Amino acid sequence: ATGELGGKGAWLDRLLAAGFRVPTTTVLTTALYELVVRSTGLHELVAELVTGRPDPDEAVTERERVERAFLEAPLPPEAEVALIEAFEATGHPGGQVAVRSSATVEDMEGTSFAGQYQSFLGVDRDGFERAVRLVWASLWHPAPRAYRRFHGVDQSNIGMAVVVMDMIEAERAGVAFTRDPGGDAENIRVEVVHGLGEQLVSGAVTPKVHLLPR
């Protein structure tokens, strides 16, 4: 499932199968990403980035170049239809959705890709296609490319799915670590903030921490 849905998408699928309550969700699969890359000429840019070594001094310029290429690439008709259907299936009329990265190489044993890829909250219909394109582009931003190279992650056959979720008014949001990364491995670490979780993962707010026995 991870190969088609990416890391986040695959875990959401497991949560749904286990009966957990999850906001209405649609996943634009890695197959759609691959179709867009293959049919628009973006595959040439990707091939260059796979073999190239990110230059820290050129990171901003390179990120802008990658994003511009993904924003300007003409979408094949089936991709345009898939985007329209994804928004309509997920967001209620006049509503907003979360557009989240779900790469095939996300958090793995010994690596954490938190904050490496793009995600967008509160996206309306007018901004939806742009958000999806920028999530795709973020797979090839200089920072995650350098991180994958440093950890020896094979970049030749990776993809980006996009999780589209109905936005909800969150009273609290948080992150749970099944093993406390900064302490006793027998504890679960839960970090919580008021409101949306974006302020937690971005580091804008210091969370309240709860430690629970595994």
Side-chain angles (χ1 to χ4, degrees), residues 111-125:
T111 63
S112 173
F113 283 82
Q116 296 277 4
Y117 305 123
Q118 288 274 78
S119 288
F120 299 91
L121 302 180
V123 179
D124 61 18
R125 182 184 293 273

Side-chain angles (χ1 to χ4, degrees), residues 138-151:
S138 69
L139 183 65
W140 299 106
H141 281 172
R145 284 173 51 222
Y147 186 80
R148 293 192 298 261
R149 179 183 289 274
F150 178 79
H151 286 281

Side-chain angles (χ1 to χ4, degrees), residues 96-109:
Q96 298 179 330
V97 297
V99 180
R100 306 201 62 205
S101 59
S102 185
T104 54
V105 279
E106 292 239 5
D107 296 340
M108 301 177 291
E109 185 176 354

Side-chain angles (χ1 to χ4, degrees), residues 49-122:
L49 296 172
V50 167
T51 58
R53 186 180 296 273
D55 184 346
D57 294 332
E58 301 293 334
V60 174
T61 303
E62 188 170 287
R63 173 171 172 151
E64 291 174 348
R65 180 170 73 99
V66 170
E67 290 187 347
R68 184 169 62 251
F70 273 85
L71 286 171
E72 295 177 353
L75 294 182
E78 52 266 56
E80 293 181 352
V81 171
L83 265 62
I84 293 171
E85 290 179 344
F87 189 91
E88 292 181 347
T90 309
H92 50 279
Q96 298 179 330
V97 297
V99 180
R100 306 201 62 205
S101 59
S102 185
T104 54
V105 279
E106 292 239 5
D107 296 340
M108 301 177 291
E109 185 176 354
T111 63
S112 173
F113 283 82
Q116 296 277 4
Y117 305 123
Q118 288 274 78
S119 288
F120 299 91
L121 302 180

Side-chain angles (χ1 to χ4, degrees), residues 176-180 186-190 210-214:
F177 299 88
T178 54
R179 291 179 182 270
D180 180 8
E186 293 306 310
N187 284 336
I188 296 172
R189 181 185 181 93
V190 182
H210 302 272
L211 296 176
L212 308 171
R214 299 182 75 234

